[in-house]
Amino acid sequence: FVEIQTPSSSDANEVFETINSRGKDLSTVDLVRNFLMEKSTGSHEKDRVNNAWRSLLDDFQRREDIEKFLRHFWVSKHGDVKSHSLYVTIRKSLTEHFDQRPQVYGVGKFSAELENAASRYAELISQNTGDSDFDATLSEVKALSADALYPLLLSASERYEYHEMQALLQAALSYYVRWTVVGTRESTLLEENLFGVAKDLSKGESLENAAKRVAGWIPDDDAFFAAFKEASIPKQAQSRYLLAKLEAHLRSDAGIHEEISFGAGKVHVENIYPSNPEVHLKVDDHDSWLNRLGNLTLLSGKRNQVTSVRPFPEKAHIYSSSSMLISSRAQVASLWDSETGRWRMQGIVERQDYMARIALSVWPSSINVG
């Protein structure tokens, strides 16, 4: 430990930042707290900052969640800013407010806003809003790691009840799936759009108008259908999510209301045409077919490596008897030619076309926003 004596707390904070800039970087959260303590005009404001930070530590279990919250909180009010420049941006913007005379917006008000937003953000990321339908859709956001949606939801939750935000959330989710997950388009534009709406919401734009704007960016059915038919999804979390949603749709159509947990360990994603087929059955362009959605399905329980690599005739009964309709009733058998005893890649194309038609209803382009 090194003791450095300074004539004032302001000087102490300046020394703190100088040492930090020349040594191991502190987190943005630490730097912002230090800055707010520096700008506090008395013990009351310092207590307000400390109370806000205690709330952050209570609301979030992981340090990374606090870091993510701080950025999303700022984005929800001011638009896009990258993590590496977040502290500099916050410091510059707040200094302009805090140094105004007479001061209209000070440390206490900012700390109160931060504390209030933290509790709502914790409810969003933990799917614990108290609205079961809204929480169910939030679980899809988490399954996809669609973090770009949180600033928009945080901004809306400041003035609206969660049940009122369902249309906005559904529009944003369809936009994310159609644009990013299946369409594999540049995510930067999607983020800019959503962050811009979040900023406008915080400045008073109506929820209905915000939802209409988001819905207007959802790729149309023709584009989505074409992208889905060709989609290859190497990320297992994303493929599990897509297949689980298709499964839920099939179950609804079949009048099956049994609840199934689609979490990791409960069901697994199976490559029908396997990643390591027998040498004489390996097809040309093996890698390009492996993660095509038409080649993927769901089976209950953890993945059994021994079963997965068996020839199709030896595991056909596993698919046909599966409780997962995406396996038992979704054209899995079309991937195998029983006459030639070889894999049939056209079956992947046909099955994926079938899945794409279902997907149009699962992630609609037309959202009723009121």
Side-chain angles (χ1 to χ4, degrees), residues 19-290:
I19 293 174
N20 172 66
S21 68
R22 296 175 183 175
K24 182 179 179 181
D25 287 345
L26 292 174
S27 70
T28 301
V29 173
D30 293 324
L31 291 170
V32 169
R33 179 183 180 279
N34 176 68
F35 166 69
L36 293 176
M37 294 297 282
E38 173 192 341
K39 290 296 184 179
S40 296
T41 56
S43 59
H44 175 72
E45 285 195 338
K46 291 183 187 296
D47 289 341
R48 195 69 192 80
V49 173
N50 283 327
N51 289 337
W53 251 252
R54 274 193 289 270
S55 293
L56 292 185
L57 294 174
D58 290 341
D59 286 333
F60 304 108
Q61 295 180 348
R62 302 183 308 162
R63 185 76 177 188
E64 307 88 84
D65 289 334
I66 302 178
E67 293 279 341
K68 187 168 68 172
F69 158 70
L70 186 60
R71 177 176 176 244
H72 286 172
F73 167 76
W74 192 261
V75 167
S76 73
K77 292 183 173 296
H78 303 278
D80 194 15
V81 59
K82 305 307 178 189
S83 297
H84 63 82
S85 58
L86 179 60
Y87 172 63
V88 173
T89 302
I90 291 177
R91 182 184 178 93
K92 179 181 178 182
S93 177
L94 291 183
T95 296
E96 292 174 358
H97 286 289
F98 296 166
D99 289 352
Q100 283 183 350
R101 294 294 180 269
Q103 188 186 78
V104 177
Y105 186 82
V107 170
K109 188 170 183 179
F110 175 79
S111 299
E113 288 180 354
L114 198 67
E115 184 174 353
N116 180 272
S119 62
R120 289 183 280 113
Y121 190 83
E123 291 174 347
L124 291 170
I125 65 173
S126 63
Q127 309 97 59
N128 190 29
T129 67
D131 185 296
S132 58
D133 291 336
F134 194 71
D135 286 342
T137 312
L138 282 175
S139 69
E140 297 183 35
V141 177
K142 183 177 181 180
L144 286 170
S145 298
D147 289 354
L149 276 59
Y150 287 128
L152 177 66
L153 300 175
L154 182 62
S155 185
S157 68
E158 186 173 6
R159 291 189 292 126
Y160 296 95
E161 299 295 328
Y162 289 123
H163 69 88
E164 298 176 294
M165 295 163 51
Q166 183 67 38
L168 174 68
L169 175 54
Q170 192 61 60
L173 192 60
S174 280
Y175 180 27
Y176 188 87
V177 170
R178 287 188 173 221
W179 182 275
T180 301
V181 180
V182 174
T184 63
R185 304 191 198 188
E186 178 53 55
S187 61
T188 301
L189 179 58
L190 175 140
E191 291 181 356
E192 289 176 356
N193 287 339
L194 293 182
F195 294 168
V197 175
K199 177 182 176 181
D200 293 339
L201 266 172
S202 72
K203 295 184 180 301
E205 182 177 26
S206 72
L207 184 66
E208 181 178 345
N209 193 58
K212 287 180 178 178
R213 287 173 62 190
V214 175
W217 292 317
I218 300 174
D220 62 31
D221 284 352
D222 288 342
F224 181 52
F225 183 71
F228 201 100
K229 287 201 303 180
E230 302 292 328
S232 181
I233 311 292
K235 294 181 179 179
Q236 192 165 108
Q238 291 185 345
S239 61
R240 181 188 291 113
Y241 164 78
L242 294 173
L243 293 168
K245 288 290 290 181
L246 294 174
E247 172 71 19
H249 184 86
L250 291 172
R251 286 174 169 270
S252 177
D253 278 357
I256 299 174
H257 305 294
E258 178 188 2
E259 291 289 334
I260 290 182
S261 174
F262 292 103
K266 304 296 184 181
V267 297
H268 69 270
V269 177
E270 172 89 352
N271 297 91
I272 303 169
Y273 166 69
S275 56
N276 294 299
E278 296 177 68
V279 175
H280 71 285
L281 292 178
K282 189 171 183 178
V283 302
D284 294 337
D285 300 323
H286 167 86
D287 290 341
S288 67
W289 291 107
L290 200 58

